[in-house]
Amino acid sequence: MNYSYAFLILLLPLLSFLVLGLTGMKMKKQVAGVIGTIVLGCVFGMSVYTAYEYFFAIGRNAATGLYPTETVFNLTWLKFNDLLTFNIGFRLTPISVMMLIVITTVSFMVHIYSFGYMAERDEHYKVEGYEKGFQRFYAYLSLFTMSMLGLVVATNIFQMYLFWELVGVCSYLLIGFYYPKHAAVHASKKAFIVTRFADLFFLIGILFYSFYVGTFNYDQTADATLASTLPGAAFILPTALFLMFIGGAGKSAMFPLHIWLPDAMEGPTPVSALIHAATMVVAGVYQVASLFPIWVQYAPNALHWVAYIAAFTAFYAAAVACCQRDIKRGLAFSTISQIAYMLVALGVCTAIDNHEGGLGYMAGMFHLFTHAMFKALLFLCSGAIIVIIGSNFKEYMGGLHKYMPITNICFLIGCLAIAGIPPFAGFFSKDEIITACFQFSPFMGYFMTLVAGMTAFYMFRLYYVIFWGQSYYELDPENRRKPQEVPFVMWGPLVFLAAISCVAGLIPFGHFISATGQSYDIHINAQVATTSIIVAIIGIALATYMYAPKKTPLADTLAKKLPRLHKAALNRFYIDDAWQFFTHQIVFGLFSKPIAWFDRHVIDGAMNFMAWSTQEAGESIRPWQSGDVRQYAVWFITGSVAISLILLCL
């Protein structure tokens, strides 16, 4: 049987979690780390082999020209009746195989990198409780990897939701990993609450979908009856799909549900690279892509609203990123903007045809792949900087190109890739997205080109401030720790991801993944490419002019001349404050407090009255059962006489 080993891709990280979670504290740190890393290395190897077998060894169906949908196994988990059955399985499609590569590649690099990162954090920045979490950290990484893998190989939308929620739990655990730190605990709760709120809509959408369609399956090629039942539910599908998208918007941090992601940077930086750059935050993109044929056929207008929401999110996040002082939060807003780019690509599709209206599907998936690599690279570079400098803030950096040359080059490669400069990976995928946007409407094309220019500006702003600005160390070398390059265990993964970011754009991605499933040759639109390159160069040149000098008088002058705009962007345009006001003043003040009063005084009061009355009644009749036989005889005689008199009177 083909892919008979595939169940191990889910089983091994689960076993790693159980072993490290239950016995990890009895192991040395290095042993726990080695176990987790070896297991992920095996899973990475199996995923690569699965991709080779799927795309090359078995290949396309000769008759249809499509890669087959392979269901390796599909087990019945819960069965209530023929209409209500929950299955758990392992399904391979072109995008799920691609996601196996993305998840395991980044996770494997993060496992290796974390050996050095966690050791550096323990050595230089010990806080009570932190250094005791090394084994726990690797256990959580294994559980998250298993959860994300289970999500992308789901055979039905219920299984996707099951692992979707498990991914959210892992995110909560990893964001709050530094639990002695109040900000980390607050951030983990914020992420959990916001994403659970969004997931409620996902669940409602699933219920609508399954009730009217009659199944939890969403793959028409895997379920022959699905194509016949979908038309009958066409009237409800736009609503069901958009409700499910709200859940995806929460996971992928789309406006206005983006507020959790910047605060999630309180977690360890390897977590940011794995969860908040490459895997969990693209779950919403993967959800829309998995349901793409149904979106296009039955809810095209709702799909375009996805594009509009994502386009605004991309611009908003890019604007905020231009003013951030914390490098990880700057990268977080960059992630929000880039995830929005992928959803825009899916949302501007008007058909499944690769040449007419369906280009965005391939472009969005291509950008998901390339972005995972260079954004993970950028986050891991930021982690290397943070453990050496001891701070997330740009004021404590500067001049690091002399002290951290490898990190400098890798970060520069990541910046060039995300800015869309050829021949780096981001150019090819972003160019296809902008081309798809121009096919949808000129306004959308130019708008996303503008966002691409903003991306180039804020990324090179970060680069110059960190590596070429005024050196914080050189201002007071006697009292400050001299920066140095991180050890090989940390820069090795950086070089690996940087190499992928250099060549990933040259992969003929359309040969493997496209809207129709058939092979598609990527064509560079010369006009679009030229425009986007010019805009990117303008953004880089502006950042160079403003931030390359050791002192930044122009940037400081602009901040002083436009203080309200600068402060608003620095404070995320007060969206977090708006949510705080909405939850505390409106939800809590107008709804929660009255409900709490009713619960305490009416519900609890009624229950308390029943308990009090019962107790008082018991106290009243307690003397009747004194145990005194003479008293019982008196009551017996008195009662007998009373009954006799009553009977005589009758």
Side-chain angles (χ1 to χ4, degrees):
M1 177 184 174
N2 294 324
Y3 314 111
S4 58
Y5 58 86
F7 73 96
L8 294 173
I9 294 176
L10 294 180
L11 181 62
L12 288 179
L14 176 61
L15 292 177
S16 174
F17 162 70
L18 293 175
V19 170
L20 296 179
L22 296 175
T23 65
M25 293 304 296
K26 299 180 181 179
M27 303 177 185
K28 292 183 177 180
K29 295 179 182 179
Q30 293 79 0
V31 174
V34 167
I35 291 174
T37 304
I38 290 177
V39 168
L40 256 296
C42 294
V43 174
F44 169 68
M46 285 188 288
S47 298
V48 172
Y49 180 73
T50 300
Y52 166 77
E53 193 173 11
Y54 184 84
F55 286 121
F56 299 103
I58 297 177
R60 298 180 181 274
N61 185 295
T64 63
L66 305 176
Y67 288 110
T69 296
E70 295 280 357
T71 302
V72 179
F73 63 86
N74 197 24
L75 308 175
T76 299
W77 181 44
L78 295 173
K79 184 172 183 178
F80 298 96
N81 53 52
D82 292 337
L83 296 178
L84 189 58
T85 302
F86 302 120
N87 292 333
I88 299 289
F90 194 105
R91 185 190 63 142
L92 295 178
T93 64
I95 60 172
S96 68
V97 174
M98 177 205 69
M99 287 300 297
L100 290 181
I101 296 296
V102 169
I103 295 166
T104 56
T105 299
V106 177
S107 182
F108 186 39
M109 292 300 105
V110 164
H111 274 72
I112 297 172
Y113 176 94
S114 296
F115 267 100
Y117 180 86
M118 299 303 286
E120 289 283 340
R121 293 289 292 185
D122 288 353
E123 181 181 353
H124 300 295
Y125 313 110
K126 280 188 178 181
V127 175
E128 184 180 356
Y130 286 12
E131 66 274 9
K132 298 179 181 179
F134 191 89
Q135 300 91 330
R136 176 168 53 91
F137 179 76
Y138 274 88
Y140 290 166
L141 285 183
S142 296
L143 180 62
F144 170 80
T145 304
M146 185 278 297
S147 304
M148 194 67 203
L149 291 170
L151 188 155
V152 299
V153 299
T155 57
N156 58 82
I157 204 165
F158 174 79
Q159 180 184 344
M160 178 185 286
Y161 180 76
L162 179 67
F163 284 97
W164 185 283
E165 293 302 307
L166 193 54
V167 163
V169 172
C170 296
S171 175
Y172 167 79
L173 295 172
L174 286 165
I175 294 170
F177 179 77
Y178 294 143
Y179 58 85
K181 189 177 177 183
H182 176 74
V185 175
H186 175 76
S188 64
K189 291 192 293 185
K190 186 176 183 179
F192 192 78
I193 292 170
V194 172
T195 54
R196 293 295 75 69
F197 171 74
D199 292 349
L200 172 63
F201 293 92
F202 187 12
L203 178 60
I204 295 172
I206 292 174
L207 295 176
F208 275 132
Y209 176 89
S210 60
F211 180 80
Y212 287 98
V213 177
T215 179
F216 288 104
N217 292 338
Y218 55 82
D219 188 349
Q220 298 182 52
T221 62
D223 188 346
T225 62
L226 189 58
S228 62
T229 57
L230 282 173
F235 72 98
I236 199 64
L237 285 176
T239 302
L241 291 171
F242 197 80
L243 287 170
M244 287 189 274
F245 164 71
I246 295 175
K251 273 288 190 291
S252 294
M254 291 296 100
F255 185 92
L257 300 173
H258 66 281
I259 57 173
W260 67 271
L261 185 58
D263 289 349
M265 298 301 106
E266 293 293 339
T269 304
V271 171
S272 302
L274 176 62
I275 295 182
H276 308 126
T279 55
M280 189 190 85
V281 291
V282 300
V285 181
Y286 182 81
Q287 181 216 83
V288 175
S290 298
L291 296 162
F292 180 74
I294 304 176
W295 275 100
V296 171
Q297 187 171 356
Y298 297 102
N301 292 328
L303 184 60
H304 299 333
W305 273 105
V306 171
Y308 302 141
I309 294 170
F312 176 79
T313 302
F315 175 79
Y316 163 81
V320 175
C322 291
C323 296
Q324 292 302 299
R325 297 170 51 243
D326 185 322
I327 61 171
K328 284 182 66 178
R329 279 173 170 77
L331 291 175
F333 278 102
S334 171
T335 298
I336 294 172
S337 184
Q338 296 301 303
I339 298 298
Y341 244 99
M342 302 170 202
L343 284 168
V344 167
L346 293 170
V348 297
C349 291
T350 56
I352 297 181
D353 185 89
N354 290 325
H355 300 278
E356 297 294 334
L359 174 62
Y361 178 88
M362 184 279 298
M365 294 298 98
F366 194 14
H367 198 58
L368 189 158
F369 178 79
T370 59
H371 172 264
M373 302 304 165
F374 59 69
K375 185 53 67 66
L377 167 65
L378 290 168
F379 265 110
L380 294 183
C381 285
S382 73
I385 296 163
I386 289 167
V387 297
I388 295 301
I389 299 301
S391 174
N392 292 21
F393 295 98
K394 63 184 182 65
E395 290 85 354
Y396 298 95
M397 301 172 192
L400 293 181
H401 70 282
K402 295 183 291 186
Y403 307 104
M404 305 179 70
I406 298 175
T407 305
N408 170 41
I409 295 172
C410 291
F411 197 92
L412 177 60
I413 290 173
C415 289
L416 290 169
I418 196 172
I421 301 298
F424 298 96
F427 164 74
F428 297 93
S429 56
K430 190 174 288 187
D431 182 75
E432 294 299 312
I433 291 177
I434 295 175
T435 301
C437 290
F438 272 109
Q439 291 180 358
F440 179 72
S441 76
F443 172 80
M444 186 67 82
Y446 286 116
F447 186 82
M448 298 311 293
T449 301
L450 170 65
V451 175
M454 296 172 67
T455 302
F457 171 78
Y458 68 67
M459 285 308 307
F460 274 86
R461 167 185 175 268
L462 267 184
Y463 172 72
Y464 285 123
V465 167
I466 295 170
F467 292 100
W468 295 91
Q470 177 65 56
S471 174
Y472 182 70
Y473 162 72
E474 292 174 1
L475 290 175
D476 188 8
E478 293 183 0
N479 298 315
R480 290 167 184 162
R481 182 173 172 237
K482 183 178 180 180
Q484 59 184 357
E485 189 58 84
V486 291
F488 171 75
V489 74
M490 293 180 70
W491 67 253
L494 300 185
V495 172
F496 179 81
L497 291 170
I500 295 178
S501 299
C502 290
V503 302
L506 303 177
I507 297 173
F509 196 82
H511 289 191
F512 306 107
I513 295 173
S514 69
T516 61
Q518 297 174 333
S519 181
Y520 171 76
D521 289 321
I522 295 176
H523 302 284
I524 300 296
N525 185 310
Q527 182 178 356
V528 171
T530 302
T531 304
S532 63
I533 292 172
I534 291 173
V535 170
I537 291 174
I538 292 173
I540 294 172
L542 184 59
T544 304
Y545 178 67
M546 293 177 63
Y547 294 100
K550 289 188 176 181
K551 295 184 178 180
T552 57
L554 180 57
D556 296 338
T557 301
L558 284 175
K560 291 178 181 178
K561 287 187 175 181
L562 302 170
R564 292 185 178 180
L565 179 62
H566 179 265
K567 186 178 180 181
L570 189 61
N571 289 280
R572 313 173 194 180
F573 293 101
Y574 306 107
I575 301 300
D576 291 65
D577 299 297
W579 273 109
Q580 194 83 350
F581 175 82
F582 174 75
T583 54
H584 284 74
Q585 301 300 322
I586 297 179
V587 176
F588 295 165
L590 299 183
F591 296 97
S592 299
K593 287 183 179 179
I595 292 173
W597 183 92
F598 183 82
D599 178 63
R600 286 194 300 268
H601 293 85
V602 178
I603 304 299
D604 288 354
M607 296 298 106
N608 292 338
F609 174 77
M610 292 173 62
W612 174 84
S613 59
T614 302
Q615 184 178 9
E616 289 300 314
E619 291 292 338
S620 300
I621 66 173
R622 176 182 293 178
W624 297 4
Q625 299 183 7
S626 63
D628 188 343
V629 177
R630 291 171 299 177
Q631 185 181 28
Y632 294 164
V634 171
W635 281 108
F636 178 76
I637 294 171
T638 302
S640 299
V641 171
I643 293 173
S644 300
L645 291 174
I646 291 172
L647 293 175
L648 290 173
C649 292
L650 295 175

